[in-house]
Amino acid sequence: MRFKIAFVAPWMVAATVLAQTNPAPAEVVYPPFGASKGSAWRVGEECYLAESVVAAWGWKVSFEKNEAVVSVESHTFRTNFKVFSQVRSLPVRSLVAAFGGETAWRKERDTLDVWSKLKSVELNQGHLEVASSLPTRPAITYNANPPSLVVELRGVRMDGDTAVALPREATVREVEAGHIRIVVPCEPASAMPAWRAGLGSSFKLDVSAVLAKAAPENTTPVATRVTTVERPKQADPPPVIVQTPPVQEPPVQQTPPVQAPPVQQTGQTDVEKPPVEPEEWQGPPKPDYVFGSWKVEADGARETLLALHYRGQALESPRVHRPELNMVVVELPGARLDDSAQSMAPLASATGRAEKTETGLRVTFTFPRAVGVQFHELPGLYRIRIVKPDIKDGRLAGKTVVLDPGHGGNDPGAQPSTKETSEKLLTLNIAKKTAEKLLAAGATVLMTRETDVFVPLTDRPALANRHRADFFVSIHINSNARPNSTSGTITFYHKEDPIGKLLAECLQQEIVRTSGLRGIGVWSDQRIYNSGFAVLRGARVPAVLLELGFINHNHDRKVMQTAEFQDSVATSIVKGLKVYLGEA
Amino acid sequence: MGIWIATVAATLGVTGIAAYVQFAPASEVPKELRRREPEDKPSPAQPPRPQMQSVSIAVPRIEGDDVVFDVKPLQVPGAKDPYVVAFQSFLSQSNIAPTEARLLSVSVEDGHAVLSFNEAFRAGYGSMEESMLLRGLLRTAGLFPEVSSVEILVDGQPLGSLGHLEVPARVPVIRESEPSDTLPIEGPEPP
């Protein structure tokens, strides 16, 4: 027995020491951002997480000598860091605890769960205010039946220290571990109010316009009550979220004839306003919806922020469209131009124009080249984010393009029932033709495969990332298991990436113009999968995925097998890249 | 002569060993050397299957350019397992996976369903087919209130991918009431 102990004990000690000092690959799961596979290492009870992942959580990280300085909004901590696989990594358990969150290792795996903590929920003078210890992403919806504002917070826990100040009708519950649901009863609304909240530790929603009037506490602050929450084992059924109810028809408006010339604004600060037309309104009082002016909030090389200020109430949401990829047109139905508007700030590299239309007002911005656009509705203003891609010298020659023919090897991709062709063969043919044309245009081309071989999904965008390519274009052929039901081309971009969307718009426009196939549209890949396509998710360069046609549609399949189609797609990709770069 | 003596000696030896094995008390045989009787095997806990006369499945349908799902009720014949009936019916009625694809087993424990398919399930799919197949399985699973997550195995191995996305080991089901009709797979955003 003594011999056994003498033999075994040193090994146990050594193994324990090794486990405490040797990093093991780990996974960190923080629900608002998913799992950080491949970026975390377990060392004893601590977990070191790559700085890029921490930064993606909204934490600010800087390094001073041998220390990392980590800030979450107003809180800053200094800590040690380690380097694994040449990646600076931070002790996430210590940091989360310092910022007031919680962590726990799962029993059977090296997986660390991270939760933020709900600090307070208050309804005060018509504003719902929520604060948590770590930045999170609230999901805000309007539940039509019964009418209520529903805020979902994932990756957040609450306990006896959570301060809750809500009227009785409103509730806040941890419906399952790490999933908080706040429900505030509302009056029925004809349209969902413009509630938005991005990544952050706190947010404030103005609910005064829709708060249920039955609740007397709505208008006055209520005493803070602290609740102790039992963490339920099973999730509550989610509330029934329905689509926004149809917008009520606005009262019929006798639109005066449009006589005034459009207001042109090209750098001058004063705006020539059309003469005010006398209005002959005979019906019930018309809601006032007045567009005042636009303001340039930021105007840099990569981004321009425009704020369109209005007062009054819009009965219809504004409509944004882009007749050309260098234009942004905002239609404001029912709006009129403010009589007292004196100025609209000039734009450094664009023209702005406001004009009356038959239904209201139209605001148009024109840029010298294609731009990405994001539109946000906020109380009293519409914010337009113009994203201008980094085009360097604006020429395709000299750029690096990674072409990714989908599937290959034992993965044939989509196949028709006739088996006359397959996705992997068509994509490779089209990619080779595209490569030839790109090379002729002076671009450098890298292909994820040049033969019929299987390439793992993660390796494909990694090639683009490794070579710091300028573009990643993944080529696919679609199929939907219902022969001849759908025909046409879709170009996908990742999630809400405005640069990817712009690139997708440029390529889709050219493919539809020349290929002869119907254009279905430019889609976010979240329309197919919440996490998006693996190759787009992994790309760190402007990236798109083309679904050129449906292989299970007789017309599409016949067209896609022709050399003319494949040539036209190759030409379109080259032209689309040039449009993106402002070269065409 | 020598051969005979050797043969007799060998026979006696074998007989003796056989007699020892047969008649020696089991307690004298070291535990680790004892033959494992069937009753010694730990029997895996089999959670009771729900008694259901009918189940529902989510069958995909093309509407415009998009995919929608219709909930279709089915009778569960006699002693059939309701989970197997549901997922096998989805497989055959969705017409996405090849006809050779088979559901091998379904196990549900603590709200986690493990669906095991044969190798033919891993066929070539277009991205919309892949989405229809996975969303259909998750929506069908979501029609069982007691099931909250799904794991898909092919030939005993985690599915991983069908060509366009990475499917994690544990995917939350999609409930019928959920407004989002996309897969609730939230993979990591690579650094």
Side-chain angles (χ1 to χ4, degrees), chain A residues 259-428:
Chain A
Q259 295 173 349
V263 181
Q264 182 76 36
Q265 206 279 339
T266 55
Q268 293 81 22
T269 51
D270 292 333
V271 175
E272 185 187 340
K273 297 188 298 296
V276 178
E277 298 294 331
E279 294 183 357
E280 298 174 5
W281 178 250
Q282 303 295 325
K286 187 176 62 172
D288 204 18
Y289 178 32
V290 182
F291 171 69
S293 63
W294 70 68
K295 183 183 171 191
V296 181
E297 294 184 328
D299 197 8
R302 300 276 77 82
E303 181 178 285
T304 297
L305 282 179
L306 298 167
L308 275 58
H309 292 271
Y310 69 89
R311 65 171 194 270
Q313 187 181 359
L315 282 177
E316 281 184 47
S317 287
R319 193 168 64 86
V320 183
H321 59 104
R322 309 178 67 197
E324 296 292 337
L325 293 175
N326 64 334
M327 293 175 73
V328 183
V329 179
V330 184
E331 305 279 1
L332 303 168
R336 64 182 177 83
L337 195 64
D338 190 353
D339 304 340
S340 60
Q342 292 300 311
S343 67
M344 295 192 191
L347 294 162
S349 57
T351 59
R353 169 191 176 102
E355 60 188 314
K356 294 180 79 172
T357 64
E358 288 185 4
T359 56
L361 204 63
R362 175 182 299 138
V363 182
T364 305
F365 298 101
T366 306
F367 296 83
R369 60 182 168 90
V371 292
V373 177
Q374 289 179 323
F375 188 83
H376 303 280
E377 293 181 48
L378 299 165
L381 69 90
Y382 303 121
R383 178 170 288 130
I384 305 173
R385 181 178 174 225
I386 304 293
V387 181
K388 294 172 270 191
D390 180 9
I391 57 171
K392 295 172 185 164
D393 64 355
R395 290 172 51 78
L396 182 56
K399 298 287 188 295
T400 300
V401 183
V402 170
L403 295 175
D404 174 39
H407 309 278
N410 59 8
D411 174 11
Q415 297 174 98
S417 56
T418 57
K419 306 285 183 194
E420 66 196 80
T421 186
S422 65
E423 182 179 1
K424 68 173 183 178
L425 297 177
L426 290 173
T427 57
L428 186 57

Side-chain angles (χ1 to χ4, degrees), chain A residues 493-505:
Chain A
Y493 59 96
H494 187 50
K495 291 195 169 179
E496 296 169 5
D497 173 22
I499 296 289
K501 186 179 182 189
L502 173 62
L503 182 59
E505 288 168 332

Side-chain angles (χ1 to χ4, degrees), chain A residues 4 10 38 66 68 100 133 154 172 225 232 234 248 287 293 299 321 363 388 400 491:
Chain A
K4 278 184 182 173
N66 295 325
S133 58
R154 293 183 190 273
V172 52
R225 65 187 152 90
Q234 293 225 329
Q248 289 175 356
S293 63
D299 197 8
H321 59 104
V363 182
K388 294 172 270 191
T400 300
T491 302

Side-chain angles (χ1 to χ4, degrees), chain A residues 35 37 39 52 238 241 407 411-414 423 457-458 476 478-482 485-486 494-495 518 520 523 526-531 533-534 537-538 540 547, chain B residues 60 62 64-66 93-96 124-132 135 161 163-166 175 177-180 182-191:
Chain A
K37 217 170 191 174
S39 305
S52 56
I241 308 293
H407 309 278
D411 174 11
E423 182 179 1
L457 289 175
T458 50
H476 286 253
N478 219 333
S479 185
N480 68 0
R482 303 290 181 270
S485 59
T486 308
H494 187 50
K495 291 195 169 179
R518 168 181 169 249
I520 293 177
W523 286 11
Q526 284 190 295
R527 196 158 164 177
I528 300 288
Y529 312 117
N530 269 8
S531 57
F533 288 121
R537 198 169 72 236
R540 289 290 161 266
E547 289 284 4
Chain B
I62 302 295
D65 294 323
D66 265 323
Q93 295 193 25
S94 60
N95 280 320
I96 304 167
Y125 299 101
S127 64
M128 202 168 274
E129 286 170 337
E130 188 177 338
S131 171
M132 291 163 75
R135 283 157 60 188
S161 175
H164 298 89
L165 84 159
E166 293 158 302
R175 299 289 179 203
S177 59
E178 285 183 32
S180 167
T182 54
L183 277 174
I185 297 169
E186 199 51 70
E189 290 293 324

Side-chain angles (χ1 to χ4, degrees), chain A residues 163-218:
Chain A
V164 179
L166 293 173
R168 285 194 188 85
E169 293 76 12
T171 59
V172 52
R173 296 187 58 203
E174 189 168 353
V175 292
E176 61 182 324
H179 179 183
I180 305 281
R181 179 175 297 147
I182 304 163
V183 180
V184 180
C186 297
E187 289 291 311
S190 59
M192 176 173 163
W195 290 318
R196 299 277 188 282
L199 176 65
S201 299
S202 62
F203 62 92
K204 189 174 179 179
L205 303 177
D206 182 356
V207 294
S208 56
V210 293
L211 270 186
K213 293 185 175 56
E217 296 94 331
N218 287 341

Side-chain angles (χ1 to χ4, degrees), chain A residues 132-172:
Chain A
S132 56
S133 58
L134 302 176
T136 186
R137 288 183 200 276
I140 303 164
T141 49
Y142 175 68
N143 186 5
N145 189 20
S148 48
L149 159 71
V150 181
V151 179
E152 309 269 4
L153 299 167
R154 293 183 190 273
V156 183
R157 288 187 146 179
M158 60 189 294
D159 57 21
D161 294 333
T162 302
V164 179
L166 293 173
R168 285 194 188 85
E169 293 76 12
T171 59
V172 52

